[in-house]
Amino acid sequence: MTGRTTGPADREEAALNAMGEALMLANEGRSGNAYGAGYGGLRAGGPGGADGGPTTGISTDPTTGRTTDPTTDPTADPAIDPAIDRDIGPAADLAADPATAATANAPVPKPQPARKPHPHPHPKPAPKPPHQDISWPEARRIARAAGRRLPAVSRPLAETLGYALAAPLTALTDLPSFDTSAMDGWAVAGPGPWRLEGRLLAGQRPGVALLDGHAIAIATGAALPPGATAIIRREHGRTERRTDGEQLYATHGAPTLGQDVRPRAQECRGGDELLSPGVVVTPAVLGLAAAAGYDELGVITRPRVEVLVLGDELLGHGLPHAGFVRDALGPMLAPWLRALGADVTATRHVVDEADALYRAISETTADLLITTGGTAGGPVDHVHPVLHELDAKLLVDGVAVRPGHPMLLAELPGGGHLVGLPGNPLAAVSGVITLVAPLLRTLAGRPAPAPYTAELTTDVPGHPTDTRLVPVVFDDESAVVPLHFHGPAMLRGLASADGLAVIPPGGATAGRETAVLDMAWGTAGC
């Protein structure tokens, strides 16, 4: 990732502070429950899409019966350019919970098979007044503070890749632990010319001490014999056979004391702290730990994550057809979550039935359960009612960010957490960056990534009250160029992106510095 780094200590806080009051959103006059269609816009629902996109024309909510006219709706903003993403527009204002309205106005249902009684039955959620979505920075802070670091475990060195260190990595010995040759050539003692005798290879114990005027051929990494004062590189010396033996001559001047020698403890002394807790074990960390003498490492347990993909309209293979779309999130989320430090135990498809979702959530043993779709107010959006029935505690219920504002974070009765992502792919990505990544960092003991800022190459329109996350690429001058195809249901722009630019409410002009979030497909940088 290119760009400039800001803030040393709590680096994510530094990035948020750098954005100032622009990221603390007013978000006036919006309802967190005014959501509509789910994944791919295939679910019917309230006015607007599941990610807060504007509708066109007069529409009627099938659950509440309310008619919405965008020309008279006080939440509508005609100043918003319709050419901006579908997700840039005001949400409709509902005064009651969609699940309650759907229950109150629904026709008498057909007889259904008997349902197994739930251990804690509840009535449907009572109507609640409209609420404001919380700001995007605040949602990230809540997610980061929601969990606790998981326990530390000791694992064989070869099995710790991708884990976070539970304690400082300290040197078990001096590195190097003896004086070694940095070059192939000759170890010499005193001034030359030198009488040449024998050789030393890496891994061999040095023999007797070298006397002044003597030399020995030596390989890179071999231990210096006692008495050696310098190394002459092979290309900086020549040998000559004489009747009294072989002589070595320096061809580039007399060597200086310690020349091309790696002295003992050049890199560290035993007991020095090499790495801090929370550092993610990379191949380089594995190499350092091995060099320092470690056979095992103390690391933080990786959070167990289960993914529930919701939606009867989703296909697992083949071409989209006749109202069915391919599941894009199932294949994308698991590898991304692993890069964020999770152990993904399962990715399962769950049908659009409340009972099926109730069973899947109530039976999970994961540290974090992630659902895709079903977080809005459509007729088969069951996440909110099921969480209510399970006595789950909602920590975040709607975020002032586009795309993806109908996301949620809940604490489950068993102690785990659930993140409900919107069903549209780019909106779900927004939910991962906003809620999943900060929570996983806490559980896995990982530090916040270094924030980046970069100049925008062009004006970027904004939402009146919400933060926008826009796919961008870096140009040759380390400025960011917004990409096309950034609607909430699109992944084409994201697939080419270097990161997501954080656009404050109202938009940002060309030349303005803005925060850029690394997608961290193979690391933990978002």
Side-chain angles (χ1 to χ4, degrees):
M1 171 62 73
T2 57
R4 292 185 289 278
T5 303
T6 62
D10 187 349
R11 298 171 292 179
E12 186 173 57
E13 290 293 343
L16 297 177
N17 291 336
M19 299 185 67
E21 294 299 325
L23 287 179
M24 302 306 297
L25 310 178
N27 197 26
E28 296 287 336
R30 300 178 59 250
S31 167
N33 291 323
Y35 309 139
Y39 182 93
L42 295 179
R43 294 192 182 106
D51 302 300
T55 56
T56 58
I58 299 175
S59 60
T60 301
D61 190 326
T63 61
T64 64
R66 174 182 169 182
T67 299
T68 303
D69 185 345
T71 63
T72 60
D73 190 331
T75 63
D77 187 349
I80 300 176
D81 187 348
I84 302 173
D85 289 352
R86 183 173 62 83
D87 56 292
I88 303 305
D93 183 21
L94 294 183
D97 183 85
T100 304
T103 302
N105 297 310
V108 177
K110 297 179 180 180
Q112 299 292 329
R115 173 178 174 177
K116 182 179 178 180
H118 294 155
H120 300 289
H122 292 282
K124 290 297 182 181
K128 56 184 178 181
H131 71 277
Q132 294 180 344
D133 292 342
I134 64 173
S135 72
W136 180 74
E138 179 64 15
R140 283 166 65 87
R141 280 191 284 267
I142 291 174
R144 188 169 60 247
R148 294 183 179 179
R149 198 188 80 166
L150 295 175
V153 293
S154 182
R155 299 182 66 89
L157 186 63
E159 298 177 8
T160 59
L161 185 66
Y163 286 76
L165 294 177
L169 185 73
T170 58
L172 301 179
T173 184
D174 296 343
L175 287 182
S177 56
F178 48 84
D179 295 340
T180 62
S181 174
M183 294 289 171
D184 292 328
W186 301 273
V188 299
W194 302 270
R195 183 173 179 174
L196 188 59
E197 49 190 32
R199 69 174 183 175
L200 274 176
L201 302 178
Q204 292 180 342
R205 290 179 176 272
V208 298
L210 282 180
L211 301 177
D212 281 357
H214 287 70
I216 187 171
I218 196 167
T220 300
L224 254 66
T229 56
I231 299 294
I232 294 179
R233 302 184 186 192
R234 181 165 296 280
E235 61 268 27
H236 291 173
R238 68 178 179 85
T239 60
E240 181 180 305
R241 288 191 177 275
R242 299 172 45 146
T243 56
D244 58 346
E246 193 169 12
Q247 294 286 316
L248 171 67
Y249 297 89
T251 59
H252 287 65
T256 59
L257 183 65
Q259 177 176 302
D260 288 329
V261 172
R262 293 175 182 154
R264 176 173 181 161
Q266 181 185 49
E267 185 170 2
C268 65
R269 293 194 177 277
D272 286 353
E273 181 175 317
L274 305 177
L275 295 172
S276 302
V279 169
V280 176
V281 178
T282 63
V285 173
L286 289 175
L288 175 62
Y294 282 88
D295 297 317
E296 296 183 339
L297 286 180
V299 292
I300 303 301
T301 302
R302 289 170 68 96
R304 293 168 297 116
V305 178
E306 186 178 0
V307 179
L308 303 181
V309 180
L310 312 183
D312 291 345
E313 74 278 16
L314 302 179
L315 298 172
H317 59 276
L319 293 175
H321 64 276
F324 291 91
V325 297
R326 281 294 297 269
D327 168 28
L329 294 179
M332 180 176 69
L333 286 178
W336 191 12
L337 294 169
R338 292 188 184 101
L340 291 171
D343 179 11
V344 181
T345 59
T347 299
R348 296 192 289 134
H349 180 261
V350 178
V351 298
D352 280 329
E353 296 178 1
D355 282 354
L357 182 59
Y358 181 97
R359 287 192 299 271
I361 296 177
S362 62
E363 294 172 0
T364 186
T365 59
D367 300 302
L368 174 61
L369 184 63
I370 297 175
T371 62
T372 68
T375 58
V380 290
D381 289 339
H382 301 302
V383 174
H384 278 92
V386 167
L387 289 178
H388 177 84
E389 194 165 358
L390 285 166
D391 279 332
K393 179 182 179 182
L394 280 175
L395 305 178
V396 174
D397 189 8
V399 179
V401 65
R402 303 300 173 111
H405 76 89
M407 64 181 75
L408 62 86
L409 169 62
E411 181 179 326
L412 298 176
H417 290 83
L418 179 145
V419 170
L421 301 177
N424 277 324
L426 189 57
V429 168
S430 174
V432 171
I433 289 176
T434 303
L435 299 178
V436 175
L439 176 55
L440 282 180
R441 282 199 297 270
T442 296
L443 296 175
R446 296 186 174 197
Y452 299 92
T453 61
E455 289 186 1
L456 291 165
T457 59
T458 186
D459 294 350
V460 181
H463 187 276
T465 59
D466 292 2
T467 298
R468 287 189 68 200
L469 302 180
V470 179
V472 294
V473 292
F474 283 94
D475 65 11
D476 293 339
E477 303 299 324
S478 296
V480 288
V481 182
L483 294 170
H484 298 295
F485 307 107
H486 48 60
M490 298 180 180
L491 289 175
R492 182 175 174 181
L494 182 70
S496 303
D498 292 323
L500 293 178
V502 181
I503 306 301
T509 56
R512 176 173 176 174
E513 292 273 340
T514 187
V516 179
L517 303 174
D518 190 346
M519 294 309 302
W521 300 122
T523 62
C526 59

